[in-house]
Amino acid sequence: MKILVTGTAGFIGFHLAKYLINRGDQVIGLDNINDYYDVNLKYDRLKNTGIPKRKVAYNKLIKSRKYSNYQFIKLDLEDRENMFQLFATQSFDVVCNLAAQAGVRYSIENPHAYVQSNVVGFVNLLECCRHYDIQHLAYASSSSVYGLNRETPFETTHTVGHPVSLYAATKRTNELMAHTYSHLFQLPTTGLRFFTVYGPWGRPDMAYYLFIKAILANQSIKVFNQGNMARDFTYVDDIVKGIVKVIDRPAMSNTNWDAHQPDISSSTAPFKIFNIGNNQPVNLLRFIEIMEEKIGQKAEKIMMPMQPGDVQVTYADVTGLINELGYQPTTTLSEGIEKFVDWYRAYYKVHTERVPAVLTE
């Protein structure tokens, strides 16, 4: 297939692009390479896929020096004119949208960035898919949409009407917009609610990344909600395999859908929402303990209250993805953390000047 993957200078998008390239798909990666976190890390991800930094210019397709079936373009989803031009000239079969303004707490201080990228940018993408006969749009949602819901494990049939951050609200908005286009234009769309993805080449603003930096620098780490937190930590390779299964199976109409008892994760339209996670929540203190074991060094912990916009537990029910698409995460937490620690040490040994500062958040 010819696949557009947005967000390929980002964490998950980078890994997904490499997987699709290696299995033989024609892939075009797109990213605006914003400065939400260290752009050097983003350019190094691109370099790993054969895209040299000095060649990157806005709205210019660059051929990979490493893979004959990969090209990259720096472009904003909000740039409607150039997005339409890209679709008009490339004849994509499938689109996977992983580009977004990320971060829960950052959305409290910078709401307009989230509206522009996650809402305006997403409707531009929907319009492109509609007008250029895309066979399937798969897109990233988030576990944060469950908001104030306390019934665990989170199921895709649960209510998601009470988000606690603007980031979560924009992701729920994406799901609603996608359903509208599936209903009006028969565009197959599948949303994936991600649960705490971790692994090599990860995001420096994520807690596990901040933990290893601080521990190796003999600095204290902040443990929020007194450590009374649990996350459904999912290794990036498992996530990518799940995304690929979704990409390969376009959403279909649910012929048993009942308007009197509506399932919000499916529809009479070709629309579907899945949770994608590890289905095994881990206490934050246990996660830190395993990281200490793999690093070989203890962390000095500062216990902190809960942060605004955060939730105490994320726990994915991934039954739908398992039963319908055969998804099965296989990487244990110990294996995944060890791989991340090994990558971190290797990467920052080469790029010592780029070790990220410990963020106050």
Side-chain angles (χ1 to χ4, degrees), residues 118-133:
N118 301 3
V119 180
V120 175
F122 192 69
V123 77
N124 285 345
L125 197 60
L126 287 167
E127 279 288 286
C128 288
C129 291
R130 165 199 171 188
H131 287 287
Y132 290 98
D133 299 320

mmCIF file of all heavy atoms in Angstrom, residues 118-133:
data_model
loop_
_atom_site.group_PDB
_atom_site.id
_atom_site.type_symbol
_atom_site.label_atom_id
_atom_site.label_comp_id
_atom_site.label_asym_id
_atom_site.label_seq_id
_atom_site.Cartn_x
_atom_site.Cartn_y
_atom_site.Cartn_z
ATOM 1 N N ASN A 118 -4.706 19.798 16.913
ATOM 2 C CA ASN A 118 -5.511 18.608 17.137
ATOM 3 C C ASN A 118 -6.936 18.705 16.609
ATOM 4 O O ASN A 118 -7.580 17.682 16.394
ATOM 5 C CB ASN A 118 -5.554 18.267 18.628
ATOM 6 C CG ASN A 118 -4.181 18.012 19.210
ATOM 7 O OD1 ASN A 118 -3.171 18.142 18.534
ATOM 8 N ND2 ASN A 118 -4.138 17.651 20.481
ATOM 9 N N VAL A 119 -7.440 19.922 16.418
ATOM 10 C CA VAL A 119 -8.803 20.094 15.917
ATOM 11 C C VAL A 119 -8.793 20.609 14.478
ATOM 12 O O VAL A 119 -9.279 19.948 13.560
ATOM 13 C CB VAL A 119 -9.626 21.021 16.832
ATOM 14 C CG1 VAL A 119 -11.045 21.186 16.280
ATOM 15 C CG2 VAL A 119 -9.686 20.467 18.250
ATOM 16 N N VAL A 120 -8.203 21.789 14.262
ATOM 17 C CA VAL A 120 -8.143 22.341 12.907
ATOM 18 C C VAL A 120 -7.350 21.415 11.991
ATOM 19 O O VAL A 120 -7.773 21.107 10.866
ATOM 20 C CB VAL A 120 -7.518 23.752 12.914
ATOM 21 C CG1 VAL A 120 -7.348 24.281 11.485
ATOM 22 C CG2 VAL A 120 -8.382 24.712 13.728
ATOM 23 N N GLY A 121 -6.198 20.959 12.462
ATOM 24 C CA GLY A 121 -5.384 20.057 11.655
ATOM 25 C C GLY A 121 -6.104 18.763 11.334
ATOM 26 O O GLY A 121 -6.013 18.241 10.212
ATOM 27 N N PHE A 122 -6.865 18.239 12.284
ATOM 28 C CA PHE A 122 -7.557 16.970 12.061
ATOM 29 C C PHE A 122 -8.699 17.115 11.062
ATOM 30 O O PHE A 122 -8.918 16.233 10.231
ATOM 31 C CB PHE A 122 -8.077 16.412 13.390
ATOM 32 C CG PHE A 122 -8.551 14.986 13.300
ATOM 33 C CD1 PHE A 122 -7.652 13.961 13.087
ATOM 34 C CD2 PHE A 122 -9.898 14.669 13.433
ATOM 35 C CE1 PHE A 122 -8.086 12.627 13.003
ATOM 36 C CE2 PHE A 122 -10.339 13.358 13.347
ATOM 37 C CZ PHE A 122 -9.432 12.334 13.130
ATOM 38 N N VAL A 123 -9.433 18.224 11.109
ATOM 39 C CA VAL A 123 -10.512 18.401 10.136
ATOM 40 C C VAL A 123 -9.937 18.584 8.737
ATOM 41 O O VAL A 123 -10.527 18.118 7.742
ATOM 42 C CB VAL A 123 -11.450 19.568 10.523
ATOM 43 C CG1 VAL A 123 -10.836 20.924 10.219
ATOM 44 C CG2 VAL A 123 -12.791 19.439 9.805
ATOM 45 N N ASN A 124 -8.771 19.215 8.621
ATOM 46 C CA ASN A 124 -8.110 19.304 7.310
ATOM 47 C C ASN A 124 -7.787 17.905 6.782
ATOM 48 O O ASN A 124 -7.962 17.616 5.593
ATOM 49 C CB ASN A 124 -6.827 20.121 7.411
ATOM 50 C CG ASN A 124 -7.085 21.607 7.534
ATOM 51 O OD1 ASN A 124 -8.189 22.085 7.278
ATOM 52 N ND2 ASN A 124 -6.062 22.357 7.926
ATOM 53 N N LEU A 125 -7.311 17.051 7.675
ATOM 54 C CA LEU A 125 -6.975 15.686 7.280
ATOM 55 C C LEU A 125 -8.228 14.914 6.858
ATOM 56 O O LEU A 125 -8.223 14.183 5.860
ATOM 57 C CB LEU A 125 -6.278 14.976 8.442
ATOM 58 C CG LEU A 125 -5.498 13.705 8.126
ATOM 59 C CD1 LEU A 125 -4.377 13.988 7.133
ATOM 60 C CD2 LEU A 125 -4.916 13.116 9.407
ATOM 61 N N LEU A 126 -9.312 15.079 7.597
ATOM 62 C CA LEU A 126 -10.571 14.440 7.234
ATOM 63 C C LEU A 126 -11.053 14.896 5.862
ATOM 64 O O LEU A 126 -11.513 14.091 5.045
ATOM 65 C CB LEU A 126 -11.641 14.739 8.284
ATOM 66 C CG LEU A 126 -11.509 14.010 9.626
ATOM 67 C CD1 LEU A 126 -12.445 14.631 10.657
ATOM 68 C CD2 LEU A 126 -11.816 12.523 9.472
ATOM 69 N N GLU A 127 -10.927 16.184 5.604
ATOM 70 C CA GLU A 127 -11.343 16.716 4.307
ATOM 71 C C GLU A 127 -10.493 16.150 3.175
ATOM 72 O O GLU A 127 -11.005 15.802 2.109
ATOM 73 C CB GLU A 127 -11.269 18.247 4.325
ATOM 74 C CG GLU A 127 -12.463 18.905 4.975
ATOM 75 C CD GLU A 127 -13.707 18.794 4.090
ATOM 76 O OE1 GLU A 127 -13.783 19.501 3.071
ATOM 77 O OE2 GLU A 127 -14.591 17.982 4.425
ATOM 78 N N CYS A 128 -9.202 16.040 3.417
ATOM 79 C CA CYS A 128 -8.314 15.447 2.408
ATOM 80 C C CYS A 128 -8.703 13.990 2.140
ATOM 81 O O CYS A 128 -8.773 13.556 0.991
ATOM 82 C CB CYS A 128 -6.864 15.518 2.859
ATOM 83 S SG CYS A 128 -6.145 17.176 2.830
ATOM 84 N N CYS A 129 -8.954 13.246 3.202
ATOM 85 C CA CYS A 129 -9.330 11.839 3.050
ATOM 86 C C CYS A 129 -10.653 11.703 2.298
ATOM 87 O O CYS A 129 -10.819 10.809 1.455
ATOM 88 C CB CYS A 129 -9.448 11.174 4.417
ATOM 89 S SG CYS A 129 -7.870 10.974 5.284
ATOM 90 N N ARG A 130 -11.577 12.588 2.602
ATOM 91 C CA ARG A 130 -12.882 12.553 1.946
ATOM 92 C C ARG A 130 -12.767 12.803 0.444
ATOM 93 O O ARG A 130 -13.353 12.091 -0.364
ATOM 94 C CB ARG A 130 -13.790 13.594 2.595
ATOM 95 C CG ARG A 130 -15.031 13.929 1.802
ATOM 96 C CD ARG A 130 -15.616 15.263 2.246
ATOM 97 N NE ARG A 130 -16.678 15.692 1.349
ATOM 98 C CZ ARG A 130 -17.252 16.894 1.412
ATOM 99 N NH1 ARG A 130 -16.851 17.768 2.321
ATOM 100 N NH2 ARG A 130 -18.207 17.228 0.559
ATOM 101 N N HIS A 131 -12.018 13.814 0.080
ATOM 102 C CA HIS A 131 -11.969 14.239 -1.320
ATOM 103 C C HIS A 131 -11.044 13.383 -2.177
ATOM 104 O O HIS A 131 -11.142 13.414 -3.401
ATOM 105 C CB HIS A 131 -11.550 15.701 -1.415
ATOM 106 C CG HIS A 131 -12.628 16.661 -0.981
ATOM 107 N ND1 HIS A 131 -13.742 16.916 -1.748
ATOM 108 C CD2 HIS A 131 -12.766 17.404 0.153
ATOM 109 C CE1 HIS A 131 -14.522 17.785 -1.122
ATOM 110 N NE2 HIS A 131 -13.959 18.103 0.027
ATOM 111 N N TYR A 132 -10.145 12.629 -1.535
ATOM 112 C CA TYR A 132 -9.191 11.847 -2.317
ATOM 113 C C TYR A 132 -9.345 10.344 -2.096
ATOM 114 O O TYR A 132 -8.399 9.576 -2.260
ATOM 115 C CB TYR A 132 -7.765 12.335 -2.051
ATOM 116 C CG TYR A 132 -7.548 13.709 -2.661
ATOM 117 C CD1 TYR A 132 -7.651 14.850 -1.882
ATOM 118 C CD2 TYR A 132 -7.311 13.846 -4.024
ATOM 119 C CE1 TYR A 132 -7.500 16.113 -2.441
ATOM 120 C CE2 TYR A 132 -7.155 15.105 -4.595
ATOM 121 C CZ TYR A 132 -7.254 16.233 -3.802
ATOM 122 O OH TYR A 132 -7.107 17.489 -4.368
ATOM 123 N N ASP A 133 -10.554 9.937 -1.725
ATOM 124 C CA ASP A 133 -10.943 8.522 -1.708
ATOM 125 C C ASP A 133 -9.985 7.629 -0.932
ATOM 126 O O ASP A 133 -9.572 6.555 -1.391
ATOM 127 C CB ASP A 133 -11.088 7.994 -3.141
ATOM 128 C CG ASP A 133 -12.157 8.741 -3.928
ATOM 129 O OD1 ASP A 133 -13.205 9.039 -3.334
ATOM 130 O OD2 ASP A 133 -11.929 9.028 -5.116
#
